[in-house]
């Protein structure tokens, strides 16, 4: 009888482990991550920061911005295409029963970050803020920052593409 209980417990633990790993590894398209239809997005704004040290030892921060892009702007669709070029996987911290209050890239930070604000209406729940902290971490939040969700892009080149595009076309 005791070995039967052990087998049942082991099977339950294995099933829970498979469920958790499946949940973590299951890819989601951007519209599911932000809980909005991508076709309903009417405007966006984005910026990139690049920081580091020059050869002389002087520090620098360069910022590039594309402001108030609407649906009829060519940059709008290009930024949306970059964001949609990958799917996103959840982070285990999204399962915590308490709110996530801060996230950082830690040792993975390479001096580059990108932020994108997407809007599909004028209400607080009709927009979201995407912060690419490094090639593997994106934080999705509401505009007032009260809800943070952490995701991992499958295509880790998304930050590189955003940085390159905004650096070339931004101000």
């Amino acid at each position: 009888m005791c070995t039967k209980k052990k087998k049942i417990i082991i099977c339950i633990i294995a099933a829970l482990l498979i469920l958790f790993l499946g949940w973590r590894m299951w890819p989601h398209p951007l519209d599911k991550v932000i809980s909005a239809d991508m076709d309903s997005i009417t405007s966006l704004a984005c910026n990139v920061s690049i920081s580091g040290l020059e050869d002389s030892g002087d520090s620098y921060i360069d910022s590039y911005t594309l402001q108030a892009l609407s649906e009829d702007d060519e940059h709008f669709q290009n930024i949306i295409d970059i964001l949609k070029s990958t799917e996103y996987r959840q982070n285990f911290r999204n399962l915590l029963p308490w709110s996530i209050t801060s996230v950082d890239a830690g040792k993975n930070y390479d001096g580059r970050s990108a932020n994108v604000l997407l809007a599909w209406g004028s209400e607080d729940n009709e927009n979201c803020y995407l912060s690419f902290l490094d090639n593997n971490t994106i934080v999705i939040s509401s505009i007032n920052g009260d809800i943070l969700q952490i995701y991992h892009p499958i295509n880790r080149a998304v930050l590189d593409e955003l940085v390159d595009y905004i650096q070339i076309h931004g101000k």
Side-chain angles (χ1 to χ4, degrees), residues 36-97:
D37 181 10
M38 294 304 292
D39 293 332
S40 67
I41 296 173
T42 56
S43 68
L44 68 83
C46 50
N47 79 315
V48 165
S49 292
I50 303 168
S51 60
L53 292 174
E54 295 177 351
D55 292 337
S56 64
D58 293 334
S59 58
Y60 69 90
I61 298 176
D62 292 333
S63 296
Y64 305 90
T65 304
L66 287 170
Q67 288 285 3
L69 302 177
S70 61
E71 296 170 288
D72 55 349
D73 190 306
E74 73 173 286
H75 299 305
F76 175 92
Q77 192 56 51
N78 292 337
I79 296 294
I80 293 294
D81 289 344
I82 292 170
L83 295 173
K84 287 174 32 177
S85 70
T86 188
E87 291 185 314
Y88 303 85
R89 293 183 175 140
Q90 297 236 25
N91 185 286
F92 283 124
R93 288 179 279 183
N94 294 344
L95 292 173
L96 294 173

Side-chain angles (χ1 to χ4, degrees), residues 97-116:
W98 55 85
S99 297
I100 301 169
T101 57
S102 67
V103 181
D104 65 36
K107 64 180 175 151
N108 296 326
Y109 182 66
D110 65 358
R112 301 172 313 137
S113 63
N115 300 298
V116 180

Side-chain angles (χ1 to χ4, degrees), residues 121-157:
S122 59
E123 300 296 320
D124 282 348
N125 64 346
E126 295 176 324
N127 58 65
C128 72
Y129 195 66
L130 292 75
S131 295
F132 289 81
L133 304 179
D134 60 43
N135 284 342
N136 190 40
T137 307
I138 177 176
V139 178
I140 313 283
S141 66
S142 59
I143 193 67
N144 55 10
D146 60 349
I147 299 171
L148 299 178
Q149 294 283 298
I150 305 166
Y151 287 87
H152 305 284
I154 293 173
N155 173 8
R156 294 186 178 189

